[in-house]
Amino acid sequence: MTASTYQYVDLPDASVVTTRALLTARENITDTVAARAMMCIHGGAGFGKTLAVNTCLHALEPGEDVRKITFRARPTARAVRYELFTAVDLAGEPPRHPSEFDRLLKTALAERPRTFLVDEAQWLNGEAFEYFRYLWDEPSTQLAIIFVGGEGCHTVLRREPMLSSRIFIWQHFTRLNPDEVLEAIPLFHPIWADADPKDIAFADSHAAHGNFRAWAQLTAHTRTALARTGRPCVDQELLRWAFSRLG
């Protein structure tokens, strides 16, 4: 994974902020990988889940073999097999028969310890989650699996007792509360470093609402406004212009 995966938008000078949620994720992921276990990180869109997980897993590389899998639609077990075939960099053509495919994957996954980051896991149904569980349960494989997704991910896992009972750690990401916003946002980007806390609170209550992705979008528009107006710092008139672009 590269640094380009860390930011929500192409935002020069933005920094990864070590929030309490990120610190907790770092501990949880480290413990999950050490135990070769499965964990679930879930929460609303834009709350910083993927950013936090990418940051934490990057810190474990290159000692840990991390493979990222992302789903954009509801996959079947067959589709999961093909994604894993690609993620593990297996040579040749994928086997046609499921049993042969399963043997190939189990053999490859037994070669050395690996960590799978399964992003957008809210798209997984019970069948897809069950296939990951099937591979993880195999005694010879050495897998840690981090499921990251919206609330649908948590709902599906909780409905399946055989799956949920195997989740080592659950972590719920929520919005930044007002105090966390005032702590984190001045560290997120230089345009907020010297901003009046009242203006940061104003921006959060009217536009960002504790959502890191929304803060990144707002920061991009505010940065543009500063450049165009030549103003030295953020003010509420400038922020209202930025709000107008967010819809």
Side-chain angles (χ1 to χ4, degrees), residues 165-202:
S165 65
R166 287 166 168 77
I167 299 298
F168 186 55
I169 295 175
W170 302 84
Q171 183 176 350
H172 187 208
F173 267 63
T174 60
R175 298 177 187 275
L176 297 173
N177 65 40
D179 289 339
E180 289 173 322
V181 167
L182 293 178
E183 291 174 3
I185 298 308
L187 303 174
F188 174 56
H189 195 278
I191 70 169
W192 306 110
D194 297 320
D196 189 320
K198 291 181 180 178
D199 289 335
I200 294 176
F202 175 78

Side-chain angles (χ1 to χ4, degrees), residues 222-238:
T222 304
R223 184 173 176 272
T224 297
L226 286 168
R228 289 181 180 173
T229 62
R231 296 186 184 185
C233 62
V234 173
D235 58 48
Q236 292 192 11
E237 181 183 359
L238 188 145

Side-chain angles (χ1 to χ4, degrees), residues 68-225:
K68 183 176 181 178
I69 305 169
T70 302
F71 295 100
R72 301 298 181 186
R74 299 197 180 280
T76 61
R78 180 174 181 270
V80 173
R81 288 185 181 95
Y82 277 88
E83 289 292 336
L84 289 170
F85 183 91
T86 301
V88 182
D89 298 324
L90 294 176
E93 293 295 320
R96 296 179 59 186
H97 299 290
S99 59
E100 183 183 355
F101 213 148
D102 293 346
R103 284 195 297 273
L104 176 65
L105 289 173
K106 287 180 181 179
T107 298
L109 295 175
E111 291 174 352
R112 61 182 179 277
R114 286 188 175 92
T115 293
F116 285 143
L117 164 57
V118 183
D119 202 9
E120 302 294 346
Q122 71 272 9
W123 289 107
L124 300 182
N125 56 22
E127 177 189 21
F129 275 122
E130 175 61 23
Y131 192 73
F132 280 106
R133 197 274 314 162
Y134 165 74
L135 293 176
W136 181 82
D137 269 354
E138 172 63 35
S140 63
T141 61
Q142 304 175 68
L143 288 179
I145 303 176
I146 317 294
F147 294 112
V148 183
E151 302 298 4
C153 167
H154 175 266
T155 301
V156 173
L157 279 170
R158 283 297 193 191
R159 273 203 308 259
E160 304 285 343
M162 287 187 65
L163 293 168
S164 62
S165 65
R166 287 166 168 77
I167 299 298
F168 186 55
I169 295 175
W170 302 84
Q171 183 176 350
H172 187 208
F173 267 63
T174 60
R175 298 177 187 275
L176 297 173
N177 65 40
D179 289 339
E180 289 173 322
V181 167
L182 293 178
E183 291 174 3
I185 298 308
L187 303 174
F188 174 56
H189 195 278
I191 70 169
W192 306 110
D194 297 320
D196 189 320
K198 291 181 180 178
D199 289 335
I200 294 176
F202 175 78
D204 191 59
S205 64
H206 285 76
H209 309 297
N211 184 303
F212 243 126
R213 185 175 299 157
W215 266 108
Q217 293 169 345
L218 177 61
T219 301
H221 293 307
T222 304
R223 184 173 176 272
T224 297

